Amino acid sequence: MASEGDEAPLVGRTDILTSIQADLLAAGPGGTAAVFVTGESGVGKSRLLRETADAMQAAGAAVLFGACLDIGDASPLHPVLQALRQAGAHPGPGPGDPAQDGAGALLERVSGELRSLARGRRLLLVLDDLQWADRSTRQMLLYLLAGLGEINLSVLAAVRSESLHGAHPLRRVLAELRRLRSVRVLDLAPLDQDATAELVAAIAGDIAAEDADRVFKRSGGNPFVAEELARDLRDGRVELSDTLREIFLSRVDELPQHAHDVVHAVAAGVEPVEHALLARVLPLPEAELIEAVRAAVAHRFLTSAPDGYRLRHQVVAEVIEHEVLPAEHAARHRRYAEAIEAAPGDTDHARLAHHWQQAGEPTRALPSVIAAARAAEQLYGYAEAYRYWALALALTSDDSAERTELLGHAAESAHRCGEHQRALSTLEQLAAREDGPGLCELHLRRARYLAAAGRTATAEMEYERALAAPECSAAEKASAAANLAELLVHLGRYADAGIRAREALELAERADGSTADLVRASAALGFSLAFREDPDAGLAVIRQAVEIAERAGHPDDIGCAYLHLAELLTNPLNNIEEGVLVARRGAEKLAAIGQGRTYQTRLLAIAANGLFRVGQWTEAAQVLDDAMRHRPSGADAVEILLSRCRLWVGFGELEAADRDLDAVATILAGGGARHVLPMLTLRAGRAMWQGRHDEARAAVQRGLTETRSDDLVLLGVLAWHGLRAEAEAQAGGEVAVDRGAVRRLQAVVERVARGAGNAASPVRAVVDGYLDLCAAELSRIEERNDPDLWARAAQAWDRRKQPYPAAYSRLRQAEASFARRTRRAAATSALREAYETARAMGATPLAAEVTQVATRARVALTGDEDVATTAARQPGGDALDMLTDREREVLAAVAEGLTNREIGQALFISERTVGVHVGHIFDKLQVRTRVQASRVYLRAA
């Protein structure tokens, strides 16, 4: 019989193996790479994983192995935590973590353990059977492969293709991960006839061609089935088995009795099955048990590893399961459950619950199911927790004493993991119970769940019912009014928000309400006043909220108060300098407390956005670097990445912008659709600097159809980008103007203008600035490019102390004046001012376009006289003469297609320094893209 070492050679996969290794080493800009191998059972996925891991480990990589479990719901992050534990690490929830840091804190700890294990080397994380991955594991992969873990990480995973049905959650994750250039999804096909014949010959030796042909036809090229059939031939079985069932049942029948029992026991267990656990399940003398295991390994049913025993292939378990009587099945799982309960140390409640269920004893399964749910919540795995709570409900009857408590936990976990409809339906079951919570608590919870589900009108009604209910205490009504005020601000109903906020403050004062309610209500009132009536009064109210929060000292309240104050100053009130100071001060206070990581990150994002608006881009980049040290996740990571992407687009670092936008899209795939509008606006801006106006148009139009936002500023920015894309198309002549898109954009502009009329003067001033830009872009589209409109826009943005849109407006003012051959002196002055502003900020693409306009108009960007540019004076000269030696080296590398990171590694300079050189090259050569620069270089060469 075959021994464990009787492994067939790797046939027909050599090129694939080499390709996978190359892909795993070809990390993207974020330092990550991944290959997901999909294919049918037995096609050789696990073998490829093992061979690749061995090769990379031999080459110096650190390798971790983890496997997902098919037991309904494993504990959160099971395969990743399993891999870490095997390597001696023990990440878990920190004892003093504040609730707001939750899942992000766990992601940071797991990332830290991975970095520690890598010790500067490339780390390969191998995950088998990823189709069974829990939601937390899927989100962890999104987080890591987006480059947020700061690890030189490669992920190699196997996925059963037959398991990925239409609604499988992994399908969406893989679809989004494909967007990352360093991720590859490889569909592993069966062997062809020649490769199958080679495999059969390697196992069975010289055989007749018709026998090899029979193996191919019966196996369909599946390597696992072909190997077993080839061993039938080698061992003298003339009649080949027609099915996998026949193959394995005949093998099992040949086993010694104790080895037979071992295979059946491991098939019923949750792998890996530790030796000590197996010894409790099969009460054999130690020597006999070891001999039985040895026989099962020798017959190629089991593999042995330090952490326990596994079936060589899961197909064996599926075959055996159908041959076991129900009573045998229940008895084996009962022995497992009893053995796990008797084992010393911490109990694996997920595994114990599984075995008691399979044993048909729901009453004994219930305590472990509840314990597994609580353990999942400690790891912030609310999706897994909800399913455990739901299972606990399925195991209890309606008249069970614990059912009310279980319904409460299930509803809250469903809400926290985004299963809003399930949360609401579970809450209704809770409400129908005689021993359920009070009416007021039900109103408040229902309103919270409805608001999260986007059903804001119904949520508002629930808050109103709570306020009208006589059963609600003053404190509960204060909470309802404060939450309702915050909801109304989100809906843009600032007058109603102010009314409810005042009501909340009055109720909180009478009932000694919570600080959180005071802060929330004050923030809503401040926004209402600032938008509608009196910005100074609104600021005073929010500043009072900051004082209340600081006196209370709770990091959540401090963070919330500072966040609202900073947002109000930097955005609607356009008091950017003070807003940046407030944001930084709040982040520093939270850092001093040592808590509030989420609010620290969001405050730093606000500070960076403010610095961007006032043109202090280098300082903004430093603030974002500080924020990234918090290792943000989820919505916090999206805010930071969008802030950084604004800088990348402004600097002209379009590859870095692509990387961050891909990361944002990847994170949003893990749950939530916030920030879609800014993401699409940035995609449009990046595409326009690359000359891809149709792509910019598509991004804007998608934003107009997908968003329900009432934020006038965001809509104004989006409309400006859309009209600018159409104007660029009109100017370029390569893409026709979409008149339908222009009409839709004009409707948005009219909506924004109507909304601005009801806003406070500082808000209206910002919105009017974008309306000025929209009007000027429309004049470009209609081929009446009006320099006066652009001059008015430039002056408006000067008054708002935002240099970037002012410089852009001056560029267009000069362009329009030169085209009309009027006001040349004013146009030259505007162009030079735009150039100075762009160079001071580091806005390379804008500076390059200014230079192009100056070249066409024969205007010198420095000096008092109009002169031809150097390039124009010397048309026969070398186009590269104006470049320094280092710039020539960088340009040569650009022409080779290298990224900034690769150029930096080759020339031993930083990626940022490369970006500065590229900007100078674009400026000197008067180009806007890397392709254009490469073309100039190749012509000169």
Side-chain angles (χ1 to χ4, degrees):
M1 295 279 84
S3 68
E4 187 175 17
D6 181 31
E7 188 163 50
L10 190 66
V11 172
R13 307 297 197 203
T14 305
D15 290 344
I16 294 175
L17 183 62
T18 303
S19 173
I20 289 175
Q21 293 178 41
D23 288 335
L24 292 173
L25 292 172
T32 63
V35 175
F36 295 89
V37 182
T38 67
E40 64 185 24
S41 297
V43 80
K45 303 182 296 296
S46 297
R47 177 72 182 275
L48 272 181
L49 263 60
R50 192 168 65 252
E51 296 280 351
T52 303
D54 290 344
M56 291 190 66
Q57 193 166 33
V63 178
L64 296 178
F65 286 90
C68 304
L69 299 182
D70 182 23
I71 61 169
D73 283 302
S75 57
L77 294 176
H78 171 80
V80 180
L81 297 181
Q82 177 194 54
L84 289 170
R85 291 188 189 105
Q86 290 175 4
H90 298 281
D97 290 327
Q100 71 270 19
D101 289 350
L106 181 61
L107 289 176
E108 180 178 346
R109 278 193 296 278
V110 172
S111 299
E113 293 286 358
L114 291 172
R115 282 191 300 276
S116 176
L117 291 170
R119 297 189 185 93
R121 299 172 290 170
R122 174 149 293 276
L123 178 65
L124 175 65
L125 178 60
V126 182
L127 301 175
D128 207 356
D129 288 320
L130 195 65
Q131 72 278 356
W132 294 327
D134 57 273
R135 178 176 175 177
S136 298
T137 297
R138 297 192 297 270
Q139 290 178 329
M140 183 75 183
L141 285 176
L142 291 168
Y143 174 83
L144 293 173
L145 293 178
L148 299 179
E150 297 186 1
I151 313 169
N152 290 323
L153 175 72
S154 296
V155 174
L156 177 61
V159 184
R160 281 197 194 184
S161 55
E162 63 265 32
S163 298
L164 296 184
H165 50 76
H168 198 290
L170 190 61
R171 288 176 63 92
R172 181 182 178 190
V173 173
L174 290 178
E176 287 299 330
L177 284 172
R178 285 177 189 265
R179 299 164 60 93
L180 301 179
R181 286 164 287 178
S182 57
V183 172
R184 179 187 178 196
V185 179
L186 170 66
D187 187 17
L188 191 62
L191 300 176
D192 59 23
Q193 187 163 0
D194 291 340
T196 302
E198 182 183 348
L199 177 62
V200 172
I203 295 171
D206 293 332
I207 59 172
E210 57 268 23
D211 286 337
D213 187 51
R214 278 197 302 155
V215 170
F216 176 70
K217 288 180 179 178
R218 294 192 181 183
S219 68
N222 184 292
F224 179 72
V225 180
E227 284 185 33
E228 297 304 323
L229 292 173
R231 290 189 175 90
D232 276 354
L233 289 172
R234 184 192 63 187
D235 297 339
R237 296 183 180 85
V238 178
E239 292 300 324
L240 296 181
S241 303
D242 286 321
T243 65
L244 277 175
R245 177 178 173 276
E246 292 178 14
I247 292 172
F248 289 113
L249 289 180
S250 63
R251 293 279 202 279
V252 172
D253 289 342
E254 295 173 359
L255 287 171
Q257 183 57 48
H258 290 332
H260 180 281
D261 294 340
V262 164
V263 171
H264 276 266
V266 174
V270 177
E271 297 180 348
V273 177
E274 301 88 347
H275 182 82
L277 180 60
L278 183 63
R280 293 189 187 93
V281 173
L282 289 178
L284 295 172
E286 182 72 6
E288 291 183 27
L289 178 60
I290 290 175
E291 189 59 35
V293 170
R294 191 183 301 279
V297 169
H299 284 74
R300 299 183 58 77
F301 282 103
L302 296 187
T303 62
S304 176
D307 60 344
Y309 305 119
R310 293 174 173 84
L311 292 174
R312 185 171 288 277
H313 202 286
Q314 282 298 312
V315 173
V316 178
E318 294 165 9
V319 170
I320 291 176
E321 183 180 2
H322 288 91
E323 297 302 313
V324 174
L325 294 173
E328 289 180 289
H329 175 88
R332 285 201 180 97
H333 284 285
R334 186 180 301 108
R335 288 201 296 270
Y336 263 111
E338 292 169 346
I340 292 171
E341 285 184 339
D346 295 334
T347 301
D348 186 339
H349 289 288
R351 187 183 291 196
L352 180 57
H354 167 73
H355 286 301
W356 277 129
Q357 282 181 266
Q358 294 299 313
E361 299 196 30
T363 303
R364 300 188 71 175
L366 182 60
S368 288
V369 171
I370 293 174
R374 297 189 190 281
E377 287 179 340
Q378 287 183 344
L379 291 171
Y380 313 105
Y382 292 109
E384 294 77 20
Y386 166 69
R387 284 193 281 271
Y388 277 123
W389 291 120
L391 176 58
L393 288 168
L395 295 175
T396 58
S397 60
D398 284 340
D399 57 356
S400 298
E402 62 266 83
R403 190 166 182 84
T404 299
E405 181 183 357
L406 295 177
L407 284 167
H409 284 295
E412 189 64 20
S413 289
H415 165 65
R416 286 176 176 267
C417 74
E419 296 283 355
H420 303 304
Q421 191 54 49
R422 289 180 177 175
L424 287 164
S425 62
T426 307
L427 187 64
E428 293 315 308
Q429 296 178 51
L430 182 62
R433 295 188 65 81
E434 293 182 1
D435 58 344
L439 186 64
C440 193
E441 180 183 341
L442 286 170
H443 283 317
L444 291 174
R445 288 182 70 172
R446 191 179 291 117
R448 192 156 50 91
Y449 296 175
L450 286 165
R455 295 164 59 181
T456 52
T458 318
E460 181 182 353
M461 291 171 60
E462 285 298 321
Y463 282 128
E464 296 282 6
R465 290 189 182 112
L467 288 167
E471 298 90 344
C472 291
S473 67
E476 288 171 323
K477 289 185 177 183
S479 182
N483 280 282
L484 177 56
E486 190 172 50
L487 175 64
L488 293 169
V489 167
H490 174 71
L491 296 175
R493 291 166 52 189
Y494 301 119
D496 293 338
I499 293 170
R500 289 305 182 188
R502 286 188 174 92
E503 183 179 358
L505 291 171
E506 292 172 3
L507 287 165
E509 185 176 358
R510 290 206 307 265
D512 193 20
S514 71
T515 305
D517 290 335
L518 287 172
V519 170
R520 190 176 290 112
S522 297
L525 178 59
F527 264 88
S528 174
L529 287 170
F531 268 88
R532 299 187 65 255
E533 304 169 24
D534 187 344
D536 292 335
L539 277 173
V541 171
I542 297 187
R543 291 187 198 280
Q544 184 180 12
V546 171
E547 293 175 4
I548 294 170
E550 287 183 333
R551 284 198 301 270
H554 193 282
D556 246 358
D557 299 332
I558 293 172
C560 180
Y562 270 98
L563 186 73
H564 285 300
L565 178 57
E567 283 183 338
L568 183 62
L569 289 166
T570 56
N571 290 316
L573 298 187
N574 200 46
N575 191 347
I576 300 174
E577 291 86 350
E578 185 181 356
V580 170
L581 290 174
V582 167
R584 285 177 148 173
R585 189 185 311 132
E588 289 167 1
K589 284 183 177 291
L590 292 170
I593 297 172
Q595 297 185 36
R597 188 173 64 95
T598 289
Y599 281 115
Q600 285 183 58
T601 302
R602 294 177 66 185
L603 285 164
L604 290 174
I606 290 173
N609 287 334
L611 290 167
F612 176 85
R613 292 189 186 99
V614 297
Q616 298 177 25
W617 290 5
T618 302
E619 189 175 353
Q622 182 59 56
V623 170
L624 290 173
D625 287 343
D626 293 341
M628 288 301 291
R629 294 193 184 100
H630 293 292
R631 307 212 198 315
S633 61
D636 300 333
V638 169
E639 291 194 17
I640 291 296
L641 290 171
L642 288 174
S643 297
R644 192 167 68 176
C645 188
R646 289 185 186 95
L647 282 174
W648 291 141
V649 172
F651 283 136
E653 297 283 357
L654 301 184
E655 289 178 4
D658 280 337
R659 181 182 70 214
D660 281 353
L661 286 171
D662 285 344
V664 167
T666 301
I667 296 168
L668 291 180
R674 290 181 60 201
H675 309 103
V676 170
L677 206 60
M679 179 184 75
L680 292 172
T681 302
L682 285 167
R683 284 199 183 279
R686 178 214 58 186
M688 278 187 279
W689 285 128
Q690 293 173 316
R692 302 204 296 264
H693 309 308
D694 52 346
E695 183 179 326
R697 171 192 296 153
V700 171
Q701 292 302 313
R702 179 184 162 197
L704 295 179
T705 57
E706 290 197 4
T707 182
R708 297 177 181 177
S709 174
D710 291 320
D711 190 311
L712 297 179
V713 175
L714 280 180
L715 287 172
V717 174
L718 186 69
W720 169 38
H721 277 69
L723 291 169
R724 179 182 161 199
E726 299 301 334
E728 296 284 357
Q730 175 72 34
E734 297 179 4
V735 179
V737 173
D738 186 335
R739 297 299 172 183
V742 173
R743 285 193 295 274
R744 288 190 291 273
L745 289 164
Q746 286 178 297
V748 173
V749 170
E750 291 170 4
R751 172 186 166 192
V752 171
R754 287 195 302 271
N758 298 322
S761 56
V763 181
R764 187 166 58 249
V766 174
V767 175
D768 285 347
Y770 288 109
L771 292 175
D772 288 342
L773 289 170
C774 289
E777 296 288 6
L778 193 60
S779 76
R780 291 177 73 199
I781 296 171
E782 295 171 350
E783 299 186 88
R784 55 176 181 81
N785 200 2
D786 188 344
D788 291 337
L789 291 177
W790 289 112
R792 186 174 73 185
Q795 292 166 4
W797 287 109
D798 282 341
R799 289 193 297 273
R800 296 171 186 91
K801 299 180 181 179
Q802 296 196 34
Y804 185 80
Y808 174 82
S809 299
R810 287 192 171 87
L811 161 67
R812 296 299 175 215
Q813 175 193 350
E815 185 179 53
S817 294
F818 290 140
R820 293 187 176 197
R821 301 179 184 276
T822 60
R823 307 176 190 171
R824 184 175 179 84
T828 299
S829 175
L831 198 63
R832 288 173 177 170
E833 189 170 350
Y835 183 72
E836 290 174 6
T837 301
R839 291 301 301 269
M841 291 187 298
T844 300
L846 180 60
E849 186 157 357
V850 170
T851 303
Q852 288 182 353
V853 172
T855 301
R856 290 195 299 269
R858 300 176 65 83
V859 169
L861 291 173
T862 57
D864 298 326
E865 302 295 331
D866 288 358
V867 295
T869 63
T870 303
R873 287 201 311 267
Q874 300 176 354
D878 186 350
L880 306 184
D881 282 347
M882 65 190 76
L883 302 184
T884 66
D885 291 341
R886 176 61 87 184
E887 288 167 351
R888 283 173 177 258
E889 291 177 329
V890 171
L891 179 57
V894 168
E896 291 178 20
L898 300 183
T899 66
N900 285 3
R901 179 181 288 252
E902 292 168 338
I903 295 171
Q905 292 171 346
L907 299 181
F908 302 101
I909 56 179
S910 71
E911 184 178 358
R912 172 55 65 89
T913 302
V914 175
V916 172
H917 285 310
V918 170
H920 291 163
I921 291 167
F922 282 10
D923 190 14
K924 292 179 181 180
L925 298 184
Q926 300 165 22
V927 297
R928 292 173 59 179
T929 69
R930 297 170 85 90
V931 173
Q932 293 171 345
S934 300
R935 192 177 296 132
V936 172
Y937 175 80
L938 293 173
R939 284 202 203 100

